[in-house]
Amino acid sequence: MKFKKNILETIGNTPLIKLNRVTDDVDALVLAKVEYFNPGSSVKDRMALKMVEDAENDGRLKPGGTIVEGTSGNTGMGLALAAIVKGYKLICVSTDKQSKEKFDILRAVGAEVIVCPTNVEPDDPRSYYSTSKRISEEIENSWYVNQYDNPSNTEAHYLSTGPEIWEQTDGKITHFVVGVGTGGTISGVARFLKEKNPNIKIWGIDTYGSVFKKFHETGIFDKNEIYPYITEGIGEDIIPANVNFDLIDAFEKVTDEDAAIYTRRLAKQEGIFAGNSCGAAVRGVVQLKKHFSRNDVVVVLLHDSGSRYVGKIYNDDWMKDNGFNTN
Ligand SMILES: Cc1ncc(COP(=O)(O)O)c(C=O)c1O
């Protein structure tokens, strides 16, 4: 008999799928690493499991403990799967910017969800950064995951996502394009790929309203760059330790509207029903087309599934309310 011992054994080994229409303008082979094939429907399953296992191994997480994390949903889902299989409690702290579906899904897999306001400074006691830290200090036998600064996040992608992309492209990958939030995905994959071939170019996709691009280009953390935006999962108002700026060749910013439009095109033109940041990443590939040539192999990583955005990006009324084109 062939079976998995539990759901965690189904994490990883996601497919690489050629984009045939949505990147028509791009004169290169564009391949999407489609991470919604993971059991929690996102790439974050990989790092969630790695963070839990590393914490178990060095005693930060003890039997019967409570896992506490500030998460927009995808990391929470990965943590929930690990918590269920391994017998921990999970508290997820998130912001009111996130889609309601994400909270419902987390509650469905047994997590307690606490929602904090988005439009406060990171060091404000009401912010989700401060709240998750405070809760982890108040609850006995709890462990605060801190995906932003936890090195196991990057390590998971160095050990699994990077090697998979290298093997699936037969080492022919020339460019890797991916949205950046905590930085774990880009930094782990970049480290592995650049060790194999330092000529591989790594592009980070950022949002308007986030600090990454300017910080990478000038070294300046410019508070004036920060304002509320719609795209979920990428861009930050902090510099997480997991973003290794030395491994990133450049950042490209994508607007909220373009991210939404390309998310919908991925579904309609490729049958890839993916999340909001995936549209941003694919739109980023199109914006960067002058950097690619015919023999290039461009891999774009798609973080999560469209099912978490049915009330938003995939809803015409929501698109119109935000002034976005629905064609
Ligand atoms: C939907 C989505 N896209 C992109 C990202 C960014 O990935 P990373 O945190 O590895 O930089 C995240 C992270 O939470 C996410 O949930």
Side-chain angles (χ1 to χ4, degrees), residues 42-44 47 71-75 102 147-148 153 157 178-187 212 232-236 243 275-278 301-305 308-309:
S42 94
V43 72
K44 308 291 269 195
M47 50 74 96
T71 168
S72 59
N74 287 325
T75 301
K102 283 187 177 176
Q147 59 174 324
Y148 293 94
N153 174 2
H157 298 290
V178 65
V180 183
T182 68
T185 313
I186 196 165
S187 303
F212 287 146
E232 293 182 38
I234 62 173
E236 292 295 344
V243 185
N276 190 179
S277 72
C278 309
L301 187 139
L302 307 186
H303 270 83
D304 68 349
S305 154
R308 290 168 189 175
Y309 307 86

Side-chain angles (χ1 to χ4, degrees), residues 123-185:
D123 55 5
D124 186 299
R126 292 165 298 168
S127 81
Y128 90 112
Y129 305 110
S130 310
T131 307
S132 30
K133 202 156 175 288
R134 177 177 53 76
I135 288 175
S136 67
E137 282 159 7
E138 282 169 8
I139 296 176
E140 222 176 289
N141 194 14
S142 67
W143 166 62
Y144 175 42
V145 180
N146 189 8
Q147 59 174 324
Y148 293 94
D149 303 327
N150 187 327
S152 308
N153 174 2
T154 292
E155 197 64 11
H157 298 290
Y158 176 77
L159 294 173
S160 73
T161 324
E164 285 175 29
I165 292 170
W166 180 255
E167 276 157 34
Q168 286 170 311
T169 58
D170 233 352
K172 294 193 177 81
I173 177 174
T174 56
H175 299 78
F176 180 59
V177 180
V178 65
V180 183
T182 68
T185 313

Side-chain angles (χ1 to χ4, degrees), residues 228-241:
Y229 54 86
I230 288 170
T231 308
E232 293 182 38
I234 62 173
E236 292 295 344
D237 52 5
I238 54 166
I239 302 291

